[in-house]
Amino acid sequence: MSLAGKKIILGVSGSIAAYKAALIVRGLIREGAEVRVLMTRAATDFISQLTLSTLSRHPVTTSVHSDESWNNHVELGLWADVYLVAPATATTLAKLAQGICDSALVAVYLSARCPIFFAPAMDVDMWLHPATRANVERLQGYGNHLIDVDNGELASGLVGQGRLAEPERILEVLRAHFARQHDLDGRRILITAGPTHEDLDPVRYLGNRSTGKMGIALAEAAAARGASVDLILGPTPLSPQGTGINVTHVRTALEMHREALQRWPQATDGILCAAVADYRPETVAPEKIKKTGDGLTLKLVRNPDIAAELGQQKQPGQFLVGFALETENGVENARGKLERKGLDLIVLNSPRVAGAAFGHDTNQIQLIDGNKVTSFELKPKREVADDILDRLPAHPTPSP
C-alpha cells in the first residue's frame, strides 16, 4: 500500500532520536504523502525547524500561541489522515495521556479526529518505569496506536528497550494501516457483544462480568475498514463510536438469539463475542422474591446455543468466528467448541491472564483454526480486533 496522497502530521519531541524525524519526513515525501511537522520547543535543541520545513516543504509549528497556528491547530487536526508522534519522549507521553496542552503538538493531538500513532524513544529505565507504562496504557486505552520501541544500544550507553523504531518500520506500520482502511468493503458483519441478563424477578437477574468492550472494539474496527456492521449488544453502558454500525440493544439470551438468527442470512461474516448465559430461570417471579428459610432453590433451563445454530445454518461463503473463555485446558476445550458448533475460527482468551478478558481495555488471545494455533501478546482490544479481522477470508462470496 502506497502512502501517496495521504495527509500526515508528524509531531517531534525533544529526544536525541529527533534526528530520525528527518528520515521519516523524507520517506513520507518520497512516497507522495503530504506532511505537516509540529515540534516541541525541546525538539528544536536536537534538530532545526529549517531542516524539517525544507524536507516537508511547509513551515514547522512549535507553539499554539504563534500567530500562524492560533486558529489553525483545530483545522490541522481535521485535515490529517494520520497523526504520528515520533519520537515521543516520556514527558510528551505524559502530556498526551493527561491532556496537558502546552504545545502545538498536544493541542493538535487533542483536536485530531484521525488515528493517532506514537513511537516512544527514551532510556531503558524510563521506558520500564511504572509511570511511563501507565501513560502508554492510557494512550492505548484512548484508542491510540503504539509503535513499539526497539531493543539495542541507547544514547546513555546502556543496551535495552527504548530505541525509537527505525523509520522504515514506522512507514511500514502506516502502510499497513492504510491498506486496512477498505479491505472489508462490501462485507456485512454480524457481531454479538456484551453480557445477557436473565431476570429472576423485577429487581434481580443472573448475569456475568462482560462489559462488551471486545465486541464494541470489533464493531468499530470492522466499520473503520469498510464493513457494514450489525452489532447486537447486550446490557452495557458502553456504545460504539463511528459510522457504519447498526446497533440493536437486547437484554436476554432469547432476545439475542432471535436477533442473531434474523440477521445471519444477510451477513457475510459472523463474530460471536457476547458472553451469553447458558441458562435462564424457568420462571420469572412477578414480584420481588422475599427471604424465606435458609436457602433458595432456582430451577434453570438451557438457553438456545446461538453459535451452534448459526453454524448449522451457515451457507457457502459465510465465515463464522466464535469466542471461548476458558480457565483450564483452553486449547483443547476451544478446539472442541470449534468443531461441535461448525465455526471457522475460534478466539480463545482466559480471565486468569492479568489484563485480559472481562472489564479490561486489553486482551490476550489465541486464534485456533483446526490444528493451527496462533498466539498473540497482551494488547489493546482495538488492536486485538484487527488481529481477528485480519483472519477473515479475503474474498467471501456473499450469501444469497
Side-chain angles (χ1 to χ4, degrees):
M1 176 71 186
S2 170
L3 298 175
K6 303 304 181 185
K7 300 172 182 176
I8 299 175
I9 301 170
L10 175 64
V12 184
S13 59
S15 162
I16 188 65
Y19 78 90
K20 291 185 179 179
L23 303 176
I24 295 171
V25 173
R26 187 171 66 176
L28 292 171
I29 294 296
R30 278 181 173 174
E31 294 203 21
E34 295 182 56
V35 183
R36 304 291 188 276
V37 179
L38 308 173
M39 300 177 71
T40 64
R41 291 294 188 188
T44 62
D45 293 334
F46 296 93
I47 187 170
S48 74
Q49 290 176 254
L50 178 60
T51 297
L52 295 181
S53 65
T54 301
L55 291 173
S56 66
R57 302 167 190 168
H58 290 279
V60 171
T61 301
T62 59
S63 172
V64 73
H65 302 297
S66 62
D67 291 339
E68 73 275 7
S69 64
W70 176 248
N71 291 320
N72 69 6
H73 68 278
V74 173
E75 187 177 306
L76 189 58
L78 301 177
W79 167 84
D81 295 315
V82 153
Y83 185 3
L84 166 67
V85 182
T89 61
T91 297
T92 294
L93 291 178
K95 290 179 178 180
L96 294 174
Q98 304 298 327
I100 300 174
C101 189
D102 64 349
S103 67
L105 188 154
V106 180
V108 174
Y109 162 76
L110 293 174
S111 303
R113 296 183 184 176
C114 61
I116 312 289
F117 290 79
F118 62 101
M122 64 198 72
D123 204 65
V124 58
D125 295 313
M126 297 172 70
W127 174 244
L128 297 177
H129 194 280
T132 303
R133 307 311 306 154
N135 288 328
V136 169
E137 289 174 9
R138 174 171 287 197
L139 286 170
Q140 291 179 298
Y142 292 157
N144 302 314
H145 305 277
L146 168 67
I147 302 178
D148 210 353
V149 297
D150 281 343
N151 193 305
E153 185 176 356
L154 305 169
S156 65
L158 298 175
V159 175
Q161 295 177 303
R163 285 172 59 93
L164 178 68
E166 290 302 318
E168 181 51 42
R169 181 157 76 87
I170 291 173
L171 295 183
E172 184 54 41
V173 169
L174 297 184
R175 293 187 200 104
H177 164 73
F178 287 114
R180 281 173 164 165
Q181 281 195 320
H182 299 289
D183 66 343
L184 298 181
D185 281 357
R187 310 283 275 264
R188 185 165 184 177
I189 302 180
L190 170 66
I191 298 175
T192 65
T196 63
H197 289 174
E198 312 300 325
D199 291 328
L200 294 171
D201 61 24
V203 298
R204 301 183 182 94
Y205 61 84
L206 299 177
N208 56 62
R209 295 185 176 90
S210 174
T211 60
K213 288 183 177 181
M214 187 68 249
I216 289 173
L218 279 161
E220 292 174 343
R225 293 168 67 163
S228 174
V229 177
D230 288 315
L231 174 63
I232 304 174
L233 185 60
T236 173
L238 305 177
S239 58
Q241 304 299 310
T243 59
I245 305 174
N246 175 43
V247 183
T248 301
H249 294 280
V250 298
R251 177 176 173 80
T252 68
L254 290 178
E255 292 172 351
M256 187 169 285
H257 171 261
R258 181 187 68 242
E259 298 295 337
L261 262 64
Q262 179 179 330
R263 287 162 176 74
W264 180 229
Q266 292 78 44
T268 55
D269 310 271
I271 305 177
L272 307 181
C273 185
V276 184
D278 293 321
Y279 297 88
R280 68 183 187 277
E282 184 178 45
T283 59
V284 178
E287 306 294 340
K288 180 183 174 183
I289 300 171
K290 300 294 185 181
K291 287 185 291 187
T292 57
D294 295 329
L296 175 67
T297 300
L298 297 173
K299 185 172 182 180
L300 305 178
V301 294
R302 283 287 299 269
N303 274 320
D305 191 325
I306 298 174
E309 290 194 36
L310 266 57
Q312 291 173 354
Q313 297 180 18
K314 186 176 61 174
Q315 298 298 310
Q318 288 184 305
F319 192 85
L320 188 59
V321 182
F323 271 68
L325 183 71
E326 302 290 346
T327 58
E328 58 182 353
N329 301 322
V331 172
E332 179 183 349
N333 290 336
R335 187 174 283 131
K337 184 176 180 180
L338 176 82
E339 295 171 354
R340 289 193 312 274
K341 302 191 178 187
L343 304 173
D344 298 292
L345 180 72
I346 195 160
V347 183
L348 171 63
N349 56 174
S350 171
R352 298 195 185 282
V353 176
F358 291 160
H360 298 284
D361 293 324
T362 53
N363 203 0
Q364 184 180 57
I365 65 166
Q366 292 177 289
L367 296 180
I368 300 173
D369 175 5
N371 292 323
K372 182 180 179 182
V373 179
T374 306
S375 299
F376 296 84
E377 62 186 10
L378 186 74
K379 60 177 68 176
K381 285 183 174 176
R382 182 58 183 266
E383 295 182 22
V384 173
D386 278 323
D387 289 333
I388 296 168
L389 294 171
D390 286 346
R391 293 291 295 272
L392 298 183
H395 299 290
T397 303
S399 55

